[in-house]
Amino acid sequence: MKYMSAFEIIGPVMVGPSSSHTAGAVRIGNLAGQLLAEKAKTVRFLLHGSFAETYRGHGTDLALLAGLMGYTTDSESIPKAFQLALMEGLEYTFEPTNLGLVHPNTVQVLAQGEHHQLDMIASSLGGGKAEVQELDGLPLRFSGERPTLILSHKDKPGFIAHLSQILDQQGYNIARLSLDRQSRHGDAITVCEIDETPSSALLKLLSTKIPDLQNIRQVWVP
């Protein structure tokens, strides 16, 4: 029997009206902002299903935009997201689309910063929970509810062993680990959820000691 937490029953502390269409959307924006790892200059939100049908009435547009700019689910600035984006010089569009066989509350986020770009598909699952479904064209799953490392690399033997060894030596416990790849020896992404917040020293160590590591990002949206 699966026991539900109080969070799942009551929902998050949030600015309404909807935990799925507002709080979950803020978390999706938070995930996108952390993955981009810099201030966005332009962003396109491609809205699917229920998101596409009700985004104006439920404030999903405001929530996604506010989350991308770093505001949290309980922020009173969410209703002012359009004005705040204008002040930051952030250009944005909201476009209904069909993303295929995905959760009805799903959005593709295409964001561009000064140095980086982001292509992410994520869903709001209810109760303020959100989950990334695809990143940089690769299918994967993570919520960011625990400190999470996202490592882009070539699919080569020994990558997971190197990663696990360094984390163990530095005293980090792995809570969940998954690898998705385009093809054998092709581009791959490893998602590593850990129990402790990673230090800058750990990130530097991983970047210098793991062969074939191309990029490392971190997210945490507790």
Side-chain angles (χ1 to χ4, degrees):
M1 178 178 179
K2 180 182 182 295
Y3 292 93
M4 299 179 71
S5 68
F7 179 89
E8 291 173 305
I9 297 170
I10 300 172
V13 177
M14 54 170 266
V15 173
S18 165
S19 63
S20 294
H21 288 245
T22 311
V26 171
R27 288 182 181 274
I28 290 173
N30 291 158
L31 288 164
Q34 291 185 24
L35 287 167
L36 184 61
E38 64 176 343
K39 183 180 292 187
K41 289 183 172 293
T42 64
V43 60
R44 294 173 62 202
F45 295 104
L46 307 184
L47 302 155
H48 170 87
S50 180
F51 266 8
E53 295 167 3
T54 64
Y55 71 93
R56 290 190 181 94
H58 283 177
T60 305
D61 46 3
L62 293 165
L64 288 167
L65 196 58
L68 180 66
M69 292 186 289
Y71 296 97
T72 55
T73 56
D74 60 348
S75 173
E76 295 183 0
S77 295
I78 292 173
K80 299 181 287 187
F82 294 156
Q83 298 96 307
L84 294 168
L86 181 64
M87 292 170 59
E88 290 194 9
L90 172 57
E91 299 178 8
Y92 57 87
T93 60
F94 298 92
E95 307 167 37
T97 192
N98 186 342
L99 295 174
L101 298 176
V102 295
H103 191 283
N105 297 333
T106 296
V107 58
Q108 183 173 11
V109 183
L110 302 171
Q112 179 74 51
E114 185 174 352
H115 303 289
H116 306 291
Q117 60 185 18
L118 174 72
D119 182 351
M120 180 191 87
I121 295 177
S123 301
S124 176
L125 306 179
K129 292 182 175 293
E131 183 178 70
V132 176
Q133 309 282 337
E134 184 177 302
L135 183 64
D136 298 336
L138 283 174
L140 43 72
R141 291 181 184 274
F142 64 89
S143 67
E145 292 180 358
R146 284 189 289 251
T148 303
L149 302 174
I150 298 95
L151 305 101
S152 301
H153 58 95
K154 289 296 182 183
D155 177 45
K156 295 289 183 66
F159 182 88
I160 295 297
H162 275 106
L163 173 62
S164 301
Q165 183 180 42
I166 292 173
L167 290 173
D168 178 55
Q169 290 173 347
Q170 299 301 311
Y172 288 86
N173 186 55
I174 297 174
R176 177 180 169 271
L177 186 68
S178 66
L179 184 151
D180 293 277
R181 64 184 187 179
Q182 287 185 338
S183 61
R184 185 180 182 186
H185 301 319
D187 291 332
I189 293 180
T190 291
V191 175
C192 181
E193 298 179 3
I194 54 181
D195 290 331
E196 302 84 14
T197 305
S199 66
S200 57
L202 173 67
L203 299 178
K204 183 177 181 180
L205 190 63
L206 293 172
S207 298
T208 56
K209 295 296 184 181
I210 300 183
D212 301 305
L213 178 61
Q214 299 167 333
N215 183 34
I216 181 168
R217 290 170 281 187
Q218 59 175 322
V219 296
W220 188 23
V221 185

